[in-house]
Amino acid sequence: MSMLDKLKGLLKGHEDTARQGVEKAGDAFDARTGNKYQSQVDEAQRRVNEQLGTDHPPTGDDR
């Protein structure tokens, strides 16, 4: 069993919390770098959410 499979198993039922964590981490990185790498951070967030199965479109105050 791969590390990603184990992580997916741990997140089962907590997809929204995981997505929020990915967004928060990306926002913190953007803040620390002055948004210099914003497009790369957004792409990384999208890919992580895809891999974790949390890639539904953001709602509300999310990006």
Side-chain angles (χ1 to χ4, degrees), residues 15-62:
E15 291 85 3
D16 285 339
T17 304
R19 184 185 53 77
Q20 290 171 357
V22 169
E23 286 295 319
K24 196 172 193 178
D27 292 346
F29 187 85
D30 281 340
R32 298 269 309 229
T33 61
N35 292 326
K36 185 176 181 179
Y37 304 102
Q38 185 174 11
S39 63
Q40 293 92 333
V41 170
D42 289 344
E43 179 66 16
Q45 288 172 315
R46 186 187 65 76
R47 288 180 182 227
V48 168
N49 283 327
E50 268 181 16
Q51 287 294 312
L52 297 177
T54 61
D55 58 341
H56 60 76
T59 59
D61 60 347
D62 294 345

